Every structure is written in structure tokens, then in C-alpha cells.
Amino acid sequence: MTAPLRIANVSGFYGDRHGAMREMLDGGDVDVLTGDYLAELTMLILGRQRQEDPSAGWARTFLSQLEECLGTALERGVRIVGNAGGLNPQGLADAVTALGQRLGLPVRVATVSGDDLLPRLGELRGRLRGGDRPPGDRDVDDAITANAYLGCRGIVRALQAGADVVVTGRVTDAGLVVGPAAWHHGWDAGDLDALAGATVAGHVLECGAQATGGNFSFFAELLDADPAALDHVGFPLAEIAADGTAVVTKHPGTGGAVTVETVTEQLLYELTGSRYGGPDVVTRFDTLRLRAAGPDRVEVSGARGLPPGAQLKVAVNRLGGFRNTMTLPLTGLDVERKAALLRRQLAPALAGVEEATVTLARTDSPDADVQEEAAALLHVTVKDRDRRRVGKAFTVPVIELGLASIPGFHATSAPPSPSAYGVYSAAWVPAEDVPQVVGLPDGTTETLPSPAPPPAGPDAPGPAAPPAWSDDGPTRRVPLGRVAGARSGDKGGAATLGVYARTDDGFAWLAAFLTPDRLRALLPEAAALPVTRDLLPGLRALLFQLPGLLGEGVAAGTRFDPQAKAVGEWLRSRAVDVPVRLLPPEGDA
């Protein structure tokens, strides 16, 4: 049996900590470095760059990281796998090769592509199917990116061929970890449980320091134990065994923490259901078990895998038009009446655009000592395919109200210029239409057709129901976050929200209390949405989907929190009646 593979993360998004690659190389032993540089919004940004410069379309920070670290990685035999190739893996691979030549380092570079369907959208039009929002003619005709989510097979082949650096396009985030694990342990397409375990590990690692104390609900407890604990949070790594079981940890002496709860939160992040679909395996998250395996070590086991489906997800981005926003502070008294007057005065200017949104944020406090704390904010946003309608045609009428509107009228900035925005939609295409193309280190190319899915094995039992809750004891009205953690995020126009309890007893109460209807009541912005809920008993967690909360997605969003990053913290701040016996001692609040 092969030894566990130590895979470390060095990037959770394009723009993450530049020094992470050096830190992970210098901090301890690793076998593979992986970096996730892509997201729905990133693909749009890279698409616009490629429109202006066909040689662009890849994440340039990856190359500058390598400039500092390539020699060390080659000397230690550490492989590097990243999806920083974006829309132009070959362009980045050429740049890595040139970097090696300049540094006097012979580096074997491979690419994985085939995901870019933009040149083929016309031929595939009849085979695309709708995802969270079916692609219409405009999505296809005006698309600037269209990328299928590839699995791990191309990475496996590249590593088998001896690649030191593997540059990919839109491989799934978890696939960056699954590929090296499958290569190291010799898994094939039928090793579904092992592939599922590596997928879980990849999901934990993909967002970098979010698994090691970053963005953690109970961060204050870490600071209470060590005020400097989060000054410089270390990045995570996973030790993946031959059966797919993984231990999540971090290098000794680095900041942050790896606990059952930090790992739980990352497992819940942007999860769309208890069965996590992917091109290599469908992973059951409702069978997972977590166990503290030592200081800053958490074992993740119990993953069960099912055969992947016959369709691959495709992310399509198009330019939706132009938007502009002005924010008007409403200071002091009569805030609601001031807002109503401005809405009436602005109505003629807003009537000529395709979409207008006016929101009032009650950020004001009564009897404030600081002027800014006495002001509410009226946000006015307009969107239109015609840039002129959201330019001076919008801003001039707003400014013309300067001496003829509410007392204290002013704006937070000079009249801004319109900016382009994108619209994301998900689609599905038959996997057989998307072969992976592997550029090998010797300069040859191999095409890997999509394999037939392996036959389904016996499925694990469904998730156990939480223990029945019955308690007639006293309650106290406190924020929900006193007894529950949460993490939220986005998937297109839907918000995802995972909420977990800290004890088994707390989970029994949480599952009985926090129904979809109760969630709608606590989060009124979701009152009209078809909220769904899944149970993940092994994580003591509830998983909610809020379709439509984010409109057409982050690139087109006008919501205050367009990626739903803080929806979980909003929920935790809401006051509810919690059984007293679940509450921590007052000194621990």
C-alpha cells in the first residue's frame, strides 16, 4: 500500500496571498502543491482580457510565484498543479518554460485543456441543456467564455509522463487534488470511494486559509486563546491515504487552527446538496465523519462515491450590458420621508433604463456623536445594454437635485462612469462531447476521450435522521450564533448556506428549529424564495439553498453582498429563543 500523499494548497483565488507557495515549500515536507485561481467571476475577467489580447487569459500571479519557488520545488521533487491556465493554458505553459530557461532550470511542463467550448458553441447549441438558468440565444451568441468543468484524468496522465508543473484550464477545484492522489495511489475510474475521499479533501483545500481559521464563525475563541492566532493564517495541506481517507493539517508554527469546526465550515462552503456532483465521481457528503487526530489535525473519513453522470457542467459568461451606481446619504431626522421624496424625484430618470434598483440601508444611529453614524445610505443602481442610458443620462438628473431636494443632500462620490457587467449561466453538455487534451512535456499531445461511467455499486444508506428533540425547559432570547456556526457563498444566482451545531444535543434542536419556513422568517430577503434544506448528520449540519437571492450572479449583482459571503453571519446575528441548557456559560459568550 502506498504512503499517504501530502498535498498543500497555495492559492484559494486569483489574488490570494502571493507568498503562500514559498511558505508551503519552506514550512515542511510536501509532495504536491496545488493552486485554485479560477471562479465564475475570474473566468469573465480573463475572458475580457483575452478579447483585448489573445495571448492573455491566464493568471499572471502564478508565474511570479514560480519565479521565486521553481528552483526549490524542482530540487525537492515537489510537483505543482494549478488551474491558473484559465482560458489559455498553453500561453502560461510557454511562459513557465521560458522562465525555466531564464533561470537555468530544466522544467517539464504539461497542459490540460479541452474545456474551452467557446469556439464550438454553435455546433453544441442543440446539445446544451439548462442548469440553474437555461442558456438562451443571447447567452450563446454573446458569450465571451464557455468552459466545461473537467475531471482529473488529464492531470493523472500529465504526472505519469513526468511533468514537474501541470497547467490546466477549467478543471474542477477539487480535481486539482484528486488528480495527484489518483496518480500517486494508482486509482482507476472504478475506485469510487477513494475518488470521493480525495474530492472531499480537495473541497477542503481549494479555498486555502478558509480551512485553517480564516473566515471562521468562532474566530473570537481563537483570539481569546492567542491574540496573535490569526495575524498570519497558515495554508492547509492534506495527507491522503490509499483509501481516500484524509488528514487535514497545516505546517507547525503557522497561524490559524485546524479543528473539527474549521474543517466543517469549509466542507459546507458553496455546497449545493448532500451529493456533490463532479466529472470523476458523485460524492456523498451525508456519510462523512470528522475526528480530531491531534493538535491541528482532523481526519476526514466515510466518503462514499457514486458513478459520475453523463453530463458535464458548463460555465457560460456573457457581457450583460452596463451599470452605474450613486449613493446618497440621508442624514439625521425623517430618513424614510427623505427616501420617499428622492424616489419620486428620481422616477423620471430611472424610467428610461432596463433595470433600476433603489435600496435604503439604515446605517444611521439616533443622537450620533459622529456625522457618518447619523446617516442612512440610499443606493441607486441602473443597468442597461445602452451605455449612454446609464451615463450622464442617469447621473446628471441626480446631481441636478442638489439644491432642490432633501435637506443635507450630497453624494458619496463624484458622478461615476458606467462599467460593463457580465451575466453567468450554467449549462450541461454530454461528457462524450468534451475530450481532455493533454500537452505532454515532450511536446506531443494526447486526447483522452471521456470514459463510460463505471457501473453503480451498492449505495450507502440514506442519512440518519437527527435525534428527536423534545424539551420543555426554559429558553433565552439570544443570537443564533451563540450556539451555531455558519458559512455561506454563491453558486450563480443562488446563495448557499450551511449551518452547524456544536454538540449532538444542539444538532437535534437545530434540525427541529431551523426549517426552511423559519429561515425565510429570519432572513426576510429570502421570504419569497423556494428555500430547500438537506441534513448532514455527520457534520451536525443543515444545508440550505436560496435560489434567486443573488439575481443573475455576482458579475451582474446589485445586492449589498453580491456573493452571499456574509449571509451566514447575518443569520447568526438574528435573535431566537434558544434552550438554556444549550447555551455556553455567560463567561464564554
Side-chain angles (χ1 to χ4, degrees), residues 525-588:
E525 291 181 31
L529 302 180
V531 174
T532 62
R533 187 184 87 159
D534 286 86
L535 270 65
L536 302 177
L539 304 180
R540 298 194 192 111
L542 311 176
L543 186 64
F544 294 93
Q545 304 297 309
L546 288 70
L549 184 70
L550 306 180
E552 293 183 299
V554 56
T558 59
R559 192 176 179 275
F560 171 67
D561 177 14
Q563 291 182 281
K565 296 288 189 181
V567 168
E569 286 301 287
W570 178 25
L571 176 66
R572 294 182 67 239
S573 73
R574 298 308 308 265
V576 299
D577 295 320
V578 175
V580 169
R581 67 185 176 93
L582 298 181
L583 293 173
E586 287 296 331
D588 297 337

Side-chain angles (χ1 to χ4, degrees), residues 482-496:
R482 287 284 305 279
V483 294
R487 182 161 292 172
S488 55
D490 66 315
K491 281 294 180 183
T496 67

Side-chain angles (χ1 to χ4, degrees), residues 68 110 160 166 211 216 274 284 328 373 392-393 411 477 494 521 536 562 571 584:
E68 301 175 9
Q160 288 172 341
V166 183
F216 179 45
S274 60
R284 290 195 54 174
L328 308 176
E373 295 175 2
K392 290 185 177 180
R477 196 158 187 81
L536 302 177
L571 176 66

Side-chain angles (χ1 to χ4, degrees), residues 346-540:
L346 291 172
L350 303 183
V353 299
E354 292 177 348
E355 182 180 336
T357 305
V358 183
T359 58
L360 175 62
R362 293 303 302 264
T363 53
D364 53 307
S365 300
D367 194 23
D369 291 330
V370 178
Q371 180 176 332
E372 188 170 351
E373 295 175 2
L377 298 175
L378 190 73
H379 302 290
V380 186
T381 300
V382 291
K383 296 163 67 175
D384 201 286
R385 278 172 283 187
D386 187 338
R387 190 179 192 278
R388 294 169 299 178
R389 291 179 180 171
V390 296
K392 290 185 177 180
F394 161 60
T395 59
V396 167
V398 176
I399 296 303
E400 287 179 344
L401 293 175
L403 304 180
S405 186
I406 63 171
F409 180 98
H410 67 287
T412 57
S413 67
S417 298
S419 60
Y421 71 90
V423 175
Y424 162 86
S425 62
W428 297 84
V429 68
E432 64 191 33
D433 289 341
V434 190
Q436 294 193 35
V437 180
V438 186
L440 298 174
D442 63 4
T444 62
T445 299
E446 291 185 12
T447 299
L448 308 179
S450 295
D459 197 359
W469 173 263
S470 60
D471 185 276
D472 296 325
T475 62
R476 183 179 305 152
R477 196 158 187 81
V478 298
L480 178 62
R482 287 284 305 279
V483 294
R487 182 161 292 172
S488 55
D490 66 315
K491 281 294 180 183
T496 67
L497 172 61
V499 188
Y500 66 95
R502 311 194 78 179
T503 65
D504 291 339
D505 204 20
F507 178 56
W509 171 78
L510 189 67
F513 171 79
L514 196 56
T515 63
D517 284 342
R518 186 67 59 88
L519 185 76
R520 292 187 190 96
L522 291 172
L523 305 182
E525 291 181 31
L529 302 180
V531 174
T532 62
R533 187 184 87 159
D534 286 86
L535 270 65
L536 302 177
L539 304 180
R540 298 194 192 111

